[in-house]
Amino acid sequence: MSDARQTHRPDEQPEVGVARASFMNVPGAPVETRRQLLVKVAWMLLWMLYLAYPAGDLLKEHHNPAGQVFGWCCLVGFVAAYVLLVIFRSEAGMKPRACQVIVATMIVLAVAASFVLGDAFLTLFIYASVCLAIITPPNYALRALAGMAALTAAIGLVIHASKDNITTFALSAFLSGVAMTGLQRLVATMKELREARAAVAHLAASEERLRLARDLHDLLGHSLSLITLKSELAGRFMDAGKDEAARAQVADIEQVARQSLIDVREAVTGFRRPTLPVELAAARTALAAAQVRLEAAPELVDAWPSLANEEAGALAWALREAVTNIVRHGEGATVCTVTADTAWEANGERFAVLEIADDGRGPGKSEPGNGLSGLEERLALVGGRLETGPGLRGKGFRLRAMVPLRTAPAPSETSKVS
């Protein structure tokens, strides 16, 4: 499976996820392209198959020509209003007044068609109830749906429909609306969850930036003050003709500057090193955008508390590269599983193992790309290794990263005393 290196901050969503999601938008996410809108309308139109009941009533020619024309006009107008509601609800600048007018029109069409053509058109009240649940605030949804069910029953009684039909259509209208209200709340919860995950990743990145700022302030503040002081001393010694003392101060300045450069590089390296919690949060966001579900135990981030920073950073890189691989090349993948384990080698050495697998089509005959090669080099630097291949039962792609699990040495008695 070919791979490519992905470099993005932990608080940023990768563009690849957005590109792959351009065809199928995430539930609750705003529609951004015409293709997404067409797909959404197509899915919504599948539910209109239940209109076969009133359409079949018209096709049986139980009504006179005028009644049939009126019935078909009501059905076409009802479906058109339904599609318009879906479109208006998908737009960013959706106007509530326009949606209310559309739903009111659907209710009027349902009432008129039922009065003129009979109980076969009571089916329209079920769709009208669902649309009413979409535009009604949650606090008033149950009242509105109960009113719609009562209206359905009343119309059924007026047109002398059978008790079974009245009960069936009134109860279906109420329950369908309640189900849509629950779905609306679920979508809202999913949206809040995505925003919360993005906020967590952003806060984690901000915390790293603050840490870097504090480290640089502590390192450079002391070093630059010392360099300034020794520069002044060197100038005074030169004015006094004490060349040897001035050279000693210049040598000290050079040593302090070199050490400051080393400290700054170490601080920046620590800032650039990814961590498992941050990469796991970023992985959830990227995979969700690519319509892939992430399955990872909550305790995964604390699986190896004694793991050194270099080894932990290498595993975090492995998670990032594996997720990038799935998002870009995991065709047909729907689930990504991340597991943590500990393995013992024959020589007694202990390894921390991070395994990422998907259920896609697998790598096929393609060769590993630059991303996997770079990851293998990163793991080799800390004494680890990379294993890749087909997933469980030959399905999907599996990446297994291993790093030595070295326990941090206990502090010596001398250090304890000091």
Side-chain angles (χ1 to χ4, degrees):
M1 182 181 292
S2 60
D3 189 20
R5 185 71 56 87
Q6 182 187 27
T7 56
H8 62 278
R9 297 199 310 268
D11 60 331
E12 292 180 336
Q13 295 187 8
E15 296 179 359
V16 292
V18 177
R20 183 172 174 178
S22 61
F23 184 74
M24 291 290 290
N25 62 311
V26 180
V31 175
E32 299 177 351
T33 64
R34 291 183 179 180
R35 176 174 292 182
Q36 288 182 355
L37 180 59
L38 290 175
V39 171
K40 185 172 184 178
V41 171
W43 277 109
M44 294 298 102
L45 286 176
L46 288 178
W47 298 103
M48 305 304 286
L49 292 176
Y50 291 101
L51 291 181
Y53 186 50
D57 182 72
L58 292 175
L59 292 174
K60 291 178 181 178
E61 299 181 354
H62 290 167
H63 310 283
N64 56 40
Q68 288 185 348
V69 171
F70 178 77
W72 287 115
C73 290
C74 286
L75 281 181
V76 172
F78 194 88
V79 174
Y82 180 80
V83 173
L84 281 178
L85 180 64
V86 173
I87 294 175
F88 284 1
R89 287 280 299 173
S90 301
E91 291 181 351
M94 183 270 300
K95 298 180 180 179
R97 180 72 65 180
C99 294
Q100 293 171 4
V101 171
I102 291 174
V103 175
T105 302
M106 296 175 70
I107 296 175
V108 170
L109 290 174
V111 172
S114 299
F115 266 118
V116 175
L117 302 171
D119 59 352
F121 284 80
L122 290 176
T123 308
L124 301 182
F125 283 98
I126 299 177
Y127 292 96
S129 180
V130 170
C131 294
L132 182 63
I134 291 176
I135 68 170
T136 305
N139 296 336
Y140 305 98
L142 289 180
R143 301 175 188 175
L145 295 175
M148 179 62 70
L151 176 62
T152 306
I155 296 298
L157 290 174
V158 171
I159 64 176
H160 304 291
S162 65
K163 292 183 179 181
D164 290 341
N165 283 344
I166 293 175
T167 303
T168 300
F169 287 121
L171 187 60
S172 298
F174 179 75
L175 294 180
S176 298
V178 171
M180 178 53 66
T181 301
L183 181 61
Q184 291 286 102
R185 292 186 180 182
L186 177 61
V187 168
T189 303
M190 292 174 60
K191 182 179 179 181
E192 293 174 359
L193 181 59
R194 284 196 302 272
E195 293 174 352
R197 287 173 177 171
V200 168
H202 179 73
L203 290 175
S206 298
E207 182 64 25
E208 283 293 296
R209 296 190 188 100
L210 290 176
R211 184 195 66 79
L212 177 63
R214 289 193 300 266
D215 290 350
L216 290 180
H217 177 271
D218 296 340
L219 292 172
L220 295 181
H222 174 74
S223 301
L224 293 177
S225 298
L226 186 59
I227 289 174
T228 302
L229 178 61
K230 288 188 171 291
S231 298
E232 292 176 353
L233 289 176
R236 292 177 184 177
F237 287 148
M238 291 178 65
D239 293 339
K242 301 179 180 179
D243 295 340
E244 292 298 327
R247 289 192 184 93
Q249 296 299 324
V250 171
D252 291 342
I253 292 173
E254 180 182 1
Q255 183 179 0
V256 171
R258 290 182 181 276
Q259 184 60 42
S260 299
L261 182 60
I262 294 174
D263 294 339
V264 169
R265 285 175 176 172
E266 290 181 352
V268 173
T269 301
F271 171 71
R272 294 180 60 188
R273 182 188 300 120
T275 61
L276 273 177
V278 173
E279 290 304 319
L280 193 61
R284 290 186 185 277
T285 303
L287 291 172
Q291 306 291 316
V292 179
R293 186 176 78 255
L294 176 63
E295 293 184 354
E299 59 272 13
L300 184 141
V301 295
D302 299 322
W304 310 286
S306 61
L307 195 62
N309 291 335
E310 289 76 12
E311 285 79 359
L315 292 181
W317 275 111
L319 178 59
R320 176 184 294 189
E321 293 294 342
V323 170
T324 302
N325 218 20
I326 294 172
V327 171
R328 289 186 173 178
H329 310 294
E331 296 183 4
T334 58
V335 178
C336 171
T337 305
V338 182
T339 57
D341 197 3
T342 303
W344 293 87
E345 295 292 305
N347 57 3
E349 192 172 5
R350 194 177 173 204
F351 279 80
V353 182
L354 183 70
E355 184 173 305
I356 305 98
D358 66 83
D359 61 344
R361 299 179 181 176
K365 298 182 179 180
S366 59
E367 296 294 330
N370 296 329
L372 293 180
S373 300
L375 177 59
E376 190 172 7
E377 294 174 0
R378 288 180 184 275
L379 292 171
L381 289 176
V382 295
R385 64 177 183 269
L386 177 68
E387 298 177 0
T388 59
L392 187 64
R393 293 187 293 272
K395 185 178 182 181
F397 184 74
R398 179 182 61 88
L399 185 148
R400 199 163 183 259
M402 304 175 62
V403 296
L405 188 59
R406 304 184 181 96
T407 304
S412 62
E413 295 297 329
T414 305
S415 61
K416 290 181 180 179
V417 173
S418 59

